[in-house]
Structure formats: structure tokens, C-alpha cells
Amino acid sequence: MSRFILKRSISAICYSFIQPDFRLQSRITQASLQACRPPRCHYSKACEVTKMSSNDKLLPRIFKHVDENVDSYKQLLKEAVAIPSISSDAAHRDDCVRMVHWTQEKLKEVGATTELRDVGFQTIDGKQVKLPPVLVSVLGNDPKKNTICIYGHLDVQPALKSDGWLSEPFELVERDGKLFGRGSTDDKGPVLGWLHAINAYKAIGEELPVNLKFILECMEESGSEGLDELLFEKLKPEGFFDSVDYVCISDNYWLGTTKPCITYGLRGISYYFVEVECAKMDLHSGVYGGTVHEAMSDLIYLMSELVDKDGKILITDMYKSVAPMTEDEKKLYTSIDFDPVAYKTSIGAHQLAHNGVKEQLLMHRWRYPSLSLHGIEGAAFQPGAKTVIPGKVIGKFSIRIVPHQEPAEVEKLVMDYLNKKWAERGSPNKLKITAQSGRAWTEDPSHPHYQAAARAVRMIFQTEPDMSREGGSIPVTISLQEASARNVLLLPMGAGDDMAHSQNEKLNVRNYIEGIKLFAAYLHEVGLLKK
Amino acid sequence: MSRFILKRSISAICYSFIQPDFRLQSRITQASLQACRPPRCHYSKACEVTKMSSNDKLLPRIFKHVDENVDSYKQLLKEAVAIPSISSDAAHRDDCVRMVHWTQEKLKEVGATTELRDVGFQTIDGKQVKLPPVLVSVLGNDPKKNTICIYGHLDVQPALKSDGWLSEPFELVERDGKLFGRGSTDDKGPVLGWLHAINAYKAIGEELPVNLKFILECMEESGSEGLDELLFEKLKPEGFFDSVDYVCISDNYWLGTTKPCITYGLRGISYYFVEVECAKMDLHSGVYGGTVHEAMSDLIYLMSELVDKDGKILITDMYKSVAPMTEDEKKLYTSIDFDPVAYKTSIGAHQLAHNGVKEQLLMHRWRYPSLSLHGIEGAAFQPGAKTVIPGKVIGKFSIRIVPHQEPAEVEKLVMDYLNKKWAERGSPNKLKITAQSGRAWTEDPSHPHYQAAARAVRMIFQTEPDMSREGGSIPVTISLQEASARNVLLLPMGAGDDMAHSQNEKLNVRNYIEGIKLFAAYLHEVGLLKK
């Protein structure tokens, strides 16, 4: 529940969607960045440097170096993917620590100072389990240069070949210009991308145009446990952020598969663990079936009351605080480059929600909450006909929350609703509900930091980036915004079909290599911003 | 669906619960076996031999030998438990084969002829996976002796220490006079019990009083795939059962923890796999949440419509064909040695169903169907906050079916009901339901085979066995009854709190050792029955 520390920042964070000047963002989003002179753009200095930067001879040399080192980039990603740093499974905690150490060595090799920050313990099944350390690193301390704080994560989601992977998930394999492996795109590829970009500057004998500060954790896929305490109780008081000018995170994806984007908004998340216990142990359904009030049927009942078949959340008042839709916002969705048919085909869905209407789909990814039922811990999950009555089951679901929804308020609505349903059920079993939440986040995409990134994108991809939001949640985004009080930007490397968290996660070779160039160009462009 | 081969035998099998002479059974069950002359007992010859057998000097020598070899019995069970022969997981198929070979060697050592019968393949995820062979063995061929066909299984349920085991599940550990380990009681302990009993005869230089034929499979926990074909299409036509006089299975448990029982009835099982697919892969709930019709919410809906909180099955007409309760049968439950409070305490339940009333509990274990929700394959099951939208999920539930319920009829009711609910749901997702069923079984406990077993129990435990039924299902029981056309008897070794299929499965040292003696005494008593 460490996210509650952030409560005070909500009004600042979400302003862009409550202020009437949403019109401005809408224009910017619609490719007006080309002109770089939207109404009310206060950043003329930043605009001036655009021409200067585009004539620079430095970047072509860097790009050439990157093109010449593709094999070594793949090799390093292969090494990183081979470490199964699954943060949700305590059995892989050593692998998480190993992954942090491995990355520390790489940062040392580029000349950065590094330290491993202890972030304490987490409680799993009543036991104290040590958290992997957070890797904090500094490269450069030139007061004349801008300083970027870069965040990334080194842990991954669980993966088993038997889940439906075509190759071993922890063995990076290239097929058809795609690098398949758990963590390839989320988030080991992007983290290595920064290292490669730095190395490219070194390789051509040029100094970095910016100072860099890294915060690399290994618990992102498991609620970033311990990180907020580090940011707010250690790094901030120690002055770590004092010299930081901008924050950049590469931990999301393009909207589609061809057009790059820069992301200025994320949904939050409110994750629930609903535990029902009927017995101290699992029971044989033949021997005990008919004589106990089974925990599974209670849990399934509660889970069935959460969402209807069309995805409408049934929890009382869940939509009440959602930011109202303005006419201007409504129009915005029309111009976004998003193809519902390709989207449907890419996931092999039988039919999309909301009749597959593009605008509705985007709205329900970005600005409306959604509820997903993830699974049940403690029940039979293996193939075959296991005849168990689980003694204790933990149902898991989460709500992607959106601007104006406060985590504490959402949690209260969910708890009240579930407790009411539980009372209606009248079961003698034991119910326990816990929650973890992080709020939604938005930035102002007309900020010079965003414009610098947009110039970098244009340079690499010869196209205007979509200024997009994301349906996913990267709670650290809001934490970093709050801790640093600086502009935070999400600069995705991977494509929209990379299948993070899913079977056959991949990173396109093109996205990896052009992504390294993009990062190098972004460092260059930010270096040119007025200090 | 191989069980349908048995359809023709239902009227014969269940006669004891449809004929008005239920009264007879009821009397016998209530300890009238002591008198051994119940009304309408046609087995006077068998009765005569009782006195003869009780004066025999042979058995005390065997019992002494057994008591002197406890350590070696434990050691052999330890070896067997160490082989993780999990039949539901194809990754453990080699272990299953290894377990069969290991047992084959043990049978060879006692002088049995053995053969491994190929039972073909099973289909897992569209792939053909070879089934472990069935071990068929013959020991003795004396036409003057009775021949017992003994069935047991060598496979086990899955087990992970992280499920809540106090020690490694595949490492047999003794604590407080209990041998903890997966398979200790279900069914490796009993299978070894037969071997030890045979060895005891050999060790004291006495010949076996009966001929034995073994059928030991390694797929019992996974629907005994391939076994029915072997029994009906190979062994029966080959004349394997022609010389068999009796069939004995030790694969169930005492009703409680102190009083032995002999079992003459089992519930059947009808197991369902409800597969819902919304996408070809798992999806990230942030990126896709709100845009797809999620398979999980459809499945949870279907699962929530199956049973109410009190365990009442909601499937239309499910209770219609259940054998009606007679007044005599009702009375029967009163005298059974069963303590609901101890039962509740042993499993740590908060409250038992049916207000914990003993007679109701027994009826709902033995003579009424029960429905249990086992779990979901394809959904998140690990600890932690996995944020997946599963692309395909398979919900698993089963109904323990009872006399007069035909598997085909039950399956039709379930399919019709689920299809009706699915139509009401109106989801665009794909639904597929498959089923595996085996019917209920009962025998006549006044048969001389049961009386011989009862004498053996009295000899070892100095008490009258409860003639009991079981809530569980051992589908092979009905198959063996059908294939052999002989009287089948279930002779449990383990106690009612052994936790088969659950965490911390165990076999009491007492049950193991006295069970070996019981098996030796049973062989002796059956040897005395008129050929």
C-alpha cells in the first residue's frame, strides 16, 4: 500500500485531463508537432535548437556504429534473457539478484559509478524474503549538461514453455527478424538499449551530451516493492534528484506495429487478492465432496459478480469519479493511427469488445477503467483431471484505473461491494481481501522534453510520433514524477504486438536496433535543451 | 469416454440398492457378521472354515516375521515414493515408466512371471503421448487353490512442497508414527503391502495359500487411460480372468482413524473440462483490458452457475435419477462409527455442510451426488500479482455420481445445462466441453469373499470391520467387476485422515505394518474358501 504516499500529488498529475485546455493536447497529438509552434507553446528556445540539431554530424556516425554492432547487441540481450529473473516467484529471487549484479557490471564497464541499494524484505506466506537490491548508478556530473534520470526494470513475468511458447522462454531465439524470449521487450531490451547508446558515443570518441542517473529495479512485475521507500525516504532526501532535469522511462510499446509513439498517459492499477478458506488443507473430492462448504464455489461466486460479459464493471459507483468526456477529447480518438482489424487479428480474438469500433476501443484502453480476472492461486492448474477440493484459494483480479479515480476510493468501493456480496452469500468460510494500487498518470506533451524526444523519433523513423496514452500501468512513473518533480516521458522501444507478459514475448530486431539509435538521438536532443 | 463400454452392466451392479432386500445388507453391515448366519445366508461352507482358520499356527509366524522387518518395509516404500510418477503431467511420463519397471523387478524377485502390456497413446494438446505400460503378473498356477486378482496403481497426484507440504513430497519422512510422502497411502503403500505379505510367506518357508494375478497400472489418477481396452479387448479374450475367483483392490481408506472397514460401494465420477477461448495467446491486462471479451469472466460465470453455497447442484434434473432413500437405508447411517466433530477438526473446516449432522454427512458422501470445482488451467496460479488476461482457460469440475445415475445421462444433463447457460450469456468466445465418466459401484457384503476378509480384519484388529461405502471413485472397480464377472472387494490399508490427493499425504506406520499382516491373513482366509 506504499502507493498511498502519492495521494497528495493527484491533482497536479491529472490536470491535463480536467483543464479546459485539453484542446491544446488534442492538437499536439494530431501531428501538430511538425510545426512546433502550436498556440500557447511557450518553449520557443527549445524550438530554435531543432534546426541546429538536425544538421549535426555526430549522430550519423553513431548510427553507423550501431548498424555495425548488431550481433553483439543480440548477444548481450541473449545473456540477459538467460537469467530467469522472475520477481513474483521467491524461488527465483537469486536469479533476480544475479540479474542486478550482471547489469551492475555492464554499467561499470561504461564508466558509471554504481551502488546496490538495499530495500529490505517482503512477506510471502508469512515469511520474510529479502528483496533484490535496486541498482542506482551515475554517469557524468558536468554542471553545464542536462541530467536525465533513466528508469528500467530487470525482472520479468513468469514463463513456462508449456504455457505455449514455441521455444524456451529464457533462451533468446531469432525468427523472422524477431527476438523471442521472456524479458526481450519488457524490459531487458530497452535497458540494454541505453547501455548500447552510451557505448556508441564512447566508441566514436565523443563525450555524452548529458549526465545520466539510472534507477534499475528488479521488482517491477511484482508491485515494485521497496522502491517508493527508496525514492522518497532515501534518494530524495539525499539530493539524488536535485541535479535531475528530466526523467525518461522506456517500458512500454508503440500503439501499433509500424508507427512510433511517445506516451504521456497511463492507467493506474488496483490489484486484489480475494482469499477464501474452507479447510486447513486440500481435500479429496470423493472423500469430502458433499460434506464441506467448498472455498472454490464461494470464490467463483464473488468473482462472477465483478464484471459482465461486455466488460462493464458491476462494482457499485465504479464509474462515478471517472473524468467526464469532453467533446474535444471525443474527437481526438478519431485521428489516432489504430487499426482494430489488425489488432483483432494479431491476438486471434473472435470478436473485439464495443463492436470493434476504433474510438470506443481506444477510450476503453486509455480513459475508462477495465476489470480483468487473472486466475486463482491454490486451485488445480495443471493439465489432467485433478480431483481436489482446494482448502484455500486466492482469486486475483485487477482494475485498471483512470484519471480522477483515487486508489483509496476505488479500494473502498471494491471492499464494500465484495463484503456486501459475501454477506449475501452467507458462507461460513473465511474471507480475506487485500489490495495493491497505483494511480493513473498523465503529462503535458507540449513540454520541451517531449518535443526533444519527438525530434529524435523523426530523425530515426522519418515520421511524426503519435502522442499516445497507454492502457497499462507503470506505477513507478508517478512515483518518479513525484520524487523528482521533473517532467517524465515514456519513450517506447518495442512494438504493439510484442506480447509482453504473454507467451512468445519478442522484440523486433528493427525496434531493438533503431531503438538504440533513438535513445542515442534522444540523449543528443536533450543535451541541446537549454539548461 | 471408454467407460461407456460398461453401460450394459449397470442393472447388475447396482442391484443391492434397488432390490427390496436392502434390509439384509443393512443387518450385515450392522455387525451381524459375527454371527455369520444372517437370514438368507447361503454360504454355510464358508462359515464352517472360520473355526478351522482361527486355530491355524501359520499366521502368528507370519505376523512375527512382519514385526521383525518394519525397517525394510519403510525403506522400500521410501524408494517407491522417491519416484515422482505423476500421471497427469506428461513431463513425468518417464518417471511413471520407471515406477512400473521398478515394481516389475520386485514382482520378479518374489518369483512372479511379469509382462508389460502396451496400452497405446493418449492425446495431450493435440500431441500423441505414449501411455505407461500396465504391469500384468502371475504368481502360482495351482488348480486346487483359489486365485485372487489384485489391482493397484503406481501413479500419484501432483505435489509441490510449495503447496504447503512440511517436507519434500517425494521424500518419505517419518514423523510421529506417520510416513509422509506423495503416494505413501495412495497407492504405493498398499501395493508394496501385497509384496511384503507374499515375501512373509516365503520367508517362513510356507507356500502361498492362493494363486495371485496382478494388474498394476500407472494412470489411475488420470482416468486409467488405456486400461479398459486392455481389460476388455486383451486380457478378457485371452482368458486371463477365467481362473480368477475373486478380485481385491486396496486403494481406499478407513472411514475414521481407528476402526478398520471393508468397502462394498463407491460413488462414480463425471469429470468436466470447460474450455473458453477469447484469444490465441495470453494478453497484458493493461494493454488489452477493456477491448476484449475475456475468457475468464465467461468461464467464471459458467462455473458460478453449477452449485449453490450449500453444495446443492443447480444442474437441471441432476437429482432426478438418484436411488430413492428407503426407511431401512435411512436407519443404517445411525449405527456407523463416524464422528463429525473429529472429522471437522481433522480438516480444520470452519463449519461442515448439512449443519454437521452425522447421518446427513454420510448420505452426502455415499449416496448423493456432489459437485466440486477443482480449478482453472491456463489462468494465473502463481503467487504474486500477475496481470494477465488468459487467452484460453479450462475450468475443471466433477460430479461424484451415485447409484442409478448413468454417466451418459449425467453428461447430457451437464452439457445441456452449460450450453443453455452459454446461450443466455451470449458471449462471442469459443466454448468446448469434454467429459470423462465412470459410474458408481456396489457389491453384496454378505458374499463369502467379504466374510473371509472380515475374519482377517478381526484377526488383526480384534474388532468388527464397518461394512462401508466410499464417497470417492475408483472406476477400475467397476471395470474389473465387469471384466472378471467375479466378486470384487475393497480392502483399505490407510486411515481416513491420510490426506490422499492433498498436502502432507501420509500412511500411519501402524496401518502399513498391520495392513501387511491383514493382507497375509486375507490371502490365508481366501485360501480356505471352498474352491
Side-chain angles (χ1 to χ4, degrees):
Chain A
M1 309 287 280
S2 58
R3 303 290 163 211
F4 288 156
I5 203 168
L6 304 173
K7 214 178 287 182
R8 63 195 182 281
S9 65
I10 188 71
S11 59
I13 292 156
C14 296
Y15 76 95
S16 58
F17 280 81
I18 37 177
Q19 302 303 325
D21 60 358
F22 188 90
R23 209 177 302 161
L24 168 63
Q25 290 180 42
S26 144
R27 285 209 200 92
I28 292 167
T29 310
Q30 293 171 61
S32 63
L33 278 165
Q34 280 173 321
C36 205
R37 275 185 196 84
R40 298 178 56 188
C41 174
H42 309 301
Y43 307 109
S44 53
K45 286 242 168 66
C47 293
E48 280 161 23
V49 297
T50 312
K51 281 175 193 164
M52 200 177 89
S53 69
S54 63
N55 289 328
D56 200 293
K57 293 282 179 271
L58 172 78
L59 290 175
R61 287 163 59 215
I62 285 185
F63 300 160
K64 184 165 173 286
H65 174 83
V66 170
D67 284 330
E68 288 166 358
N69 284 277
V70 170
D71 285 347
S72 74
Y73 299 151
K74 288 180 188 171
Q75 184 51 39
L76 211 68
L77 185 55
K78 193 180 178 74
E79 277 183 42
V81 165
I83 303 172
S85 47
I86 303 164
S87 55
S88 62
D89 184 351
H92 282 281
R93 189 53 47 90
D94 286 349
D95 292 318
C96 290
V97 174
R98 189 152 60 95
M99 185 66 211
V100 173
H101 287 172
W102 183 90
T103 313
Q104 182 182 30
E105 286 310 305
K106 302 298 157 205
L107 278 167
K108 280 182 181 170
E109 285 168 20
V110 300
T113 61
T114 64
E115 51 175 344
L116 299 181
R117 299 298 295 253
D118 182 4
V119 288
F121 292 81
Q122 69 178 150
T123 308
I124 300 177
D125 292 336
K127 272 182 240 157
Q128 290 287 91
V129 179
K130 195 151 177 55
L131 290 163
V134 174
L135 176 54
V136 178
S137 174
V138 176
L139 180 59
N141 191 24
D142 184 342
K144 296 191 296 296
K145 291 180 184 172
N146 282 314
T147 300
I148 306 172
C149 175
I150 290 170
Y151 164 89
H153 67 90
L154 305 170
D155 59 321
V156 296
Q157 286 278 329
L160 294 171
K161 183 150 191 289
S162 59
D163 292 343
W165 284 72
L166 295 175
S167 49
E168 286 300 332
F170 294 101
E171 198 176 301
L172 193 77
V173 171
E174 183 172 350
R175 290 192 299 271
D176 305 328
K178 295 164 189 165
L179 300 165
F180 289 90
R182 175 58 90 220
S184 56
T185 194
D186 181 18
D187 183 37
K188 292 179 177 179
V191 168
L192 293 188
W194 293 113
L195 279 165
H196 299 322
I198 296 164
N199 262 319
Y201 275 95
K202 289 185 64 162
I204 64 160
E206 294 286 346
E207 67 171 310
L208 274 186
V210 289
N211 305 312
L212 293 176
K213 289 191 160 187
F214 286 93
I215 298 172
L216 302 176
E217 68 157 325
C218 206
M219 284 296 290
E220 196 271 347
E221 302 293 4
S222 303
S224 291
E225 277 201 63
L227 187 69
D228 270 5
E229 289 73 9
L230 178 71
L231 296 180
F232 291 94
E233 293 164 24
K234 304 270 174 67
L235 295 181
K236 190 178 159 83
E238 290 166 12
F240 178 88
F241 295 107
D242 293 353
S243 61
V244 169
D245 298 291
Y246 306 102
V247 177
C248 187
I249 302 174
S250 183
D251 185 23
N252 66 313
Y253 315 94
W254 295 354
L255 199 47
T257 58
T258 53
K259 195 174 178 197
C261 66
I262 298 171
T263 307
Y264 67 95
L266 292 168
R267 290 194 289 189
I269 188 164
S270 196
Y271 200 105
Y272 296 86
F273 301 82
V274 182
E275 180 183 309
V276 183
E277 186 189 89
C278 68
K280 292 292 175 206
M281 59 200 65
D282 290 350
L283 304 170
H284 187 301
S285 68
V287 182
Y288 293 93
T291 66
V292 290
H293 294 275
E294 301 191 10
M296 267 294 275
S297 70
D298 283 344
L299 177 64
I300 293 283
Y301 157 78
L302 288 178
M303 291 176 83
S304 75
E305 296 285 327
L306 294 169
V307 64
D308 76 6
K309 81 172 172 68
D310 298 316
K312 194 186 156 212
I313 301 172
L314 302 174
I315 295 160
T316 314
D317 290 339
M318 186 49 65
Y319 294 94
K320 218 169 175 177
S321 60
V322 171
M325 174 91 76
T326 63
E327 278 308 307
D328 282 331
E329 188 195 339
K330 215 179 221 170
K331 285 175 202 152
L332 167 69
Y333 296 97
T334 317
S335 66
I336 293 282
D337 181 31
F338 178 73
D339 177 0
V341 175
Y343 180 85
K344 175 169 165 273
T345 307
S346 75
I347 58 171
H350 304 291
Q351 190 181 304
L352 293 177
H354 318 295
N355 299 314
V357 175
K358 171 183 147 176
E359 290 77 5
Q360 284 295 316
L361 290 171
L362 288 174
M363 287 176 201
H364 283 87
R365 279 178 87 174
W366 291 357
R367 62 111 54 234
Y368 287 123
S370 64
L371 188 151
S372 296
L373 304 169
H374 305 301
I376 299 172
E377 187 181 332
F381 64 90
Q382 305 95 331
K386 193 171 181 182
T387 52
V388 68
I389 298 173
K392 183 171 86 175
V393 282
I394 305 172
K396 298 176 185 191
F397 71 93
S398 68
I399 303 171
R400 296 286 168 170
I401 58 176
V402 294
H404 299 203
Q405 288 190 309
E406 268 293 310
E409 167 213 36
V410 170
E411 287 183 11
K412 187 175 182 312
L413 291 176
V414 173
M415 300 286 188
D416 287 352
Y417 181 79
L418 285 176
N419 284 324
K420 182 171 152 269
K421 289 288 165 189
W422 186 248
E424 285 170 17
R425 177 81 169 172
S427 166
N429 290 327
K430 224 169 76 181
L431 173 71
K432 194 176 105 185
I433 312 168
T434 51
Q436 290 175 353
S437 302
R439 71 165 58 79
W441 163 84
T442 53
E443 276 284 5
D444 174 0
S446 68
H447 190 283
H449 185 202
Y450 277 78
Q451 295 185 42
R455 286 191 294 276
V457 170
R458 280 199 296 273
M459 202 178 300
I460 307 302
F461 295 100
Q462 277 79 50
T463 188
E464 196 60 36
D466 269 338
M467 286 292 174
S468 71
R469 288 165 72 175
E470 274 271 6
S473 317
I474 313 171
V476 73
T477 311
I478 209 164
S479 296
L480 283 167
Q481 189 189 48
E482 167 80 353
S484 69
R486 299 296 185 270
N487 182 278
V488 181
L489 176 143
L490 302 193
L491 189 60
M493 172 184 267
D497 63 350
D498 275 0
M499 293 295 134
H501 292 210
S502 176
Q503 298 94 332
N504 301 304
E505 175 183 343
K506 58 89 181 164
L507 175 64
N508 297 331
V509 175
R510 173 181 180 245
N511 283 63
Y512 188 32
I513 302 306
E514 300 307 303
I516 295 166
K517 295 178 192 170
L518 171 65
F519 289 180
Y522 162 79
L523 297 181
H524 177 75
E525 290 292 339
V526 174
L528 294 173
L529 289 180
K530 186 174 156 55
K531 174 74 186 164
Chain B
M1 311 285 281
S2 58
R3 303 291 162 209
F4 289 156
I5 203 169
L6 304 175
K7 212 179 288 182
R8 65 194 180 281
S9 66
I10 188 71
S11 58
I13 293 157
C14 296
Y15 77 94
S16 58
F17 280 82
I18 36 176
Q19 302 303 326
D21 59 358
F22 188 85
R23 209 177 306 164
L24 168 62
Q25 290 179 43
S26 147
R27 285 209 200 94
I28 290 167
T29 309
Q30 293 171 58
S32 64
L33 280 164
Q34 283 174 317
C36 203
R37 277 185 193 84
R40 295 177 60 187
C41 172
H42 308 301
Y43 307 111
S44 53
K45 288 239 168 66
C47 292
E48 280 162 22
V49 296
T50 313
K51 282 175 194 167
M52 199 176 90
S53 68
S54 63
N55 290 327
D56 200 295
K57 294 278 179 274
L58 173 79
L59 289 174
R61 287 163 57 214
I62 286 185
F63 301 159
K64 184 166 174 287
H65 173 83
V66 170
D67 284 329
E68 287 165 358
N69 284 276
V70 170
D71 285 347
S72 74
Y73 300 151
K74 289 179 187 171
Q75 184 52 38
L76 211 69
L77 184 55
K78 193 179 179 74
E79 278 183 42
V81 165
I83 303 173
S85 47
I86 303 165
S87 55
S88 62
D89 184 351
H92 282 282
R93 190 53 48 90
D94 286 350
D95 292 318
C96 290
V97 174
R98 190 153 58 95
M99 186 65 211
V100 174
H101 288 171
W102 183 91
T103 313
Q104 183 182 29
E105 287 310 305
K106 302 298 158 204
L107 277 166
K108 281 182 181 170
E109 285 168 18
V110 299
T113 61
T114 63
E115 51 176 345
L116 299 180
R117 300 298 295 252
D118 182 4
V119 288
F121 292 81
Q122 70 178 149
T123 309
I124 299 176
D125 292 336
K127 271 181 241 157
Q128 292 286 92
V129 179
K130 195 150 178 53
L131 290 163
V134 174
L135 176 53
V136 178
S137 174
V138 176
L139 180 58
N141 191 25
D142 183 343
K144 296 189 297 295
K145 291 179 185 172
N146 282 314
T147 300
I148 305 172
C149 175
I150 291 169
Y151 163 90
H153 68 89
L154 305 170
D155 60 320
V156 296
Q157 286 278 328
L160 294 170
K161 182 149 191 289
S162 58
D163 293 343
W165 284 70
L166 296 175
S167 50
E168 287 299 332
F170 295 101
E171 199 176 298
L172 192 77
V173 171
E174 183 172 348
R175 290 193 297 273
D176 305 327
K178 296 164 190 168
L179 300 164
F180 290 88
R182 175 59 90 219
S184 55
T185 194
D186 183 17
D187 182 36
K188 292 179 177 178
V191 168
L192 293 188
W194 293 113
L195 279 164
H196 300 322
I198 296 164
N199 261 318
Y201 276 95
K202 288 184 64 160
I204 63 159
E206 294 286 344
E207 68 172 310
L208 274 185
V210 290
N211 304 311
L212 294 175
K213 289 191 160 189
F214 286 92
I215 299 173
L216 302 175
E217 67 157 326
C218 207
M219 284 296 289
E220 197 271 347
E221 302 293 4
S222 302
S224 291
E225 278 201 64
L227 187 70
D228 270 5
E229 290 73 7
L230 178 70
L231 296 180
F232 291 95
E233 293 163 24
K234 303 271 174 67
L235 295 182
K236 189 178 158 80
E238 290 166 13
F240 178 88
F241 295 108
D242 293 353
S243 61
V244 169
D245 298 290
Y246 306 102
V247 177
C248 186
I249 302 173
S250 183
D251 185 24
N252 66 312
Y253 315 95
W254 295 353
L255 199 49
T257 57
T258 52
K259 195 175 178 196
C261 66
I262 298 171
T263 307
Y264 68 95
L266 292 168
R267 289 195 289 190
I269 188 165
S270 195
Y271 200 105
Y272 296 86
F273 302 83
V274 183
E275 180 183 308
V276 182
E277 186 190 87
C278 68
K280 293 290 176 208
M281 60 200 64
D282 289 350
L283 304 170
H284 187 299
S285 69
V287 182
Y288 293 93
T291 67
V292 289
H293 294 276
E294 301 190 11
M296 267 295 275
S297 69
D298 283 346
L299 177 64
I300 294 284
Y301 158 77
L302 288 178
M303 290 175 84
S304 75
E305 296 284 329
L306 294 169
V307 65
D308 76 6
K309 82 170 171 67
D310 297 316
K312 194 188 155 208
I313 302 172
L314 302 173
I315 295 160
T316 315
D317 290 341
M318 186 50 66
Y319 294 94
K320 218 169 174 178
S321 60
V322 170
M325 174 91 78
T326 63
E327 277 308 308
D328 282 332
E329 187 193 341
K330 215 180 222 170
K331 284 175 202 154
L332 168 69
Y333 296 97
T334 318
S335 65
I336 293 282
D337 180 30
F338 177 73
D339 176 0
V341 175
Y343 180 85
K344 175 169 165 274
T345 307
S346 75
I347 59 172
H350 304 291
Q351 191 180 304
L352 293 177
H354 318 295
N355 299 314
V357 175
K358 170 183 148 178
E359 291 77 5
Q360 284 295 316
L361 291 170
L362 288 174
M363 286 176 201
H364 283 88
R365 278 179 87 174
W366 291 357
R367 62 111 55 234
Y368 287 123
S370 63
L371 189 152
S372 296
L373 304 169
H374 305 301
I376 298 173
E377 187 182 331
F381 64 89
Q382 304 96 331
K386 191 169 182 182
T387 53
V388 67
I389 298 174
K392 183 171 87 176
V393 281
I394 306 172
K396 299 177 184 188
F397 71 92
S398 68
I399 304 171
R400 297 285 168 171
I401 58 175
V402 295
H404 300 203
Q405 287 190 309
E406 268 294 307
E409 167 213 36
V410 170
E411 287 184 10
K412 187 175 182 310
L413 291 176
V414 174
M415 300 287 189
D416 287 352
Y417 181 80
L418 284 175
N419 284 323
K420 180 171 153 268
K421 289 288 165 189
W422 186 247
E424 286 170 19
R425 176 81 169 171
S427 166
N429 291 326
K430 225 168 75 181
L431 173 70
K432 193 174 106 185
I433 312 168
T434 50
Q436 290 175 354
S437 302
R439 71 165 58 79
W441 162 84
T442 52
E443 276 283 5
D444 174 1
S446 69
H447 190 283
H449 185 203
Y450 277 78
Q451 295 185 42
R455 284 191 296 275
V457 170
R458 280 199 296 273
M459 202 178 303
I460 307 303
F461 296 99
Q462 277 78 50
T463 186
E464 196 61 33
D466 269 337
M467 286 293 173
S468 72
R469 287 164 73 173
E470 274 269 7
S473 317
I474 314 170
V476 72
T477 312
I478 208 164
S479 297
L480 283 169
Q481 188 189 49
E482 167 81 354
S484 69
R486 300 294 185 270
N487 182 277
V488 181
L489 176 143
L490 303 193
L491 189 62
M493 173 185 267
D497 63 349
D498 275 1
M499 293 295 135
H501 293 210
S502 176
Q503 299 93 331
N504 301 306
E505 175 183 343
K506 59 88 182 166
L507 175 64
N508 297 331
V509 175
R510 173 181 179 245
N511 284 63
Y512 188 32
I513 303 306
E514 300 307 302
I516 295 166
K517 295 178 192 168
L518 172 65
F519 289 179
Y522 161 79
L523 297 181
H524 178 75
E525 289 293 337
V526 174
L528 294 174
L529 290 180
K530 187 175 155 55
K531 173 76 185 161

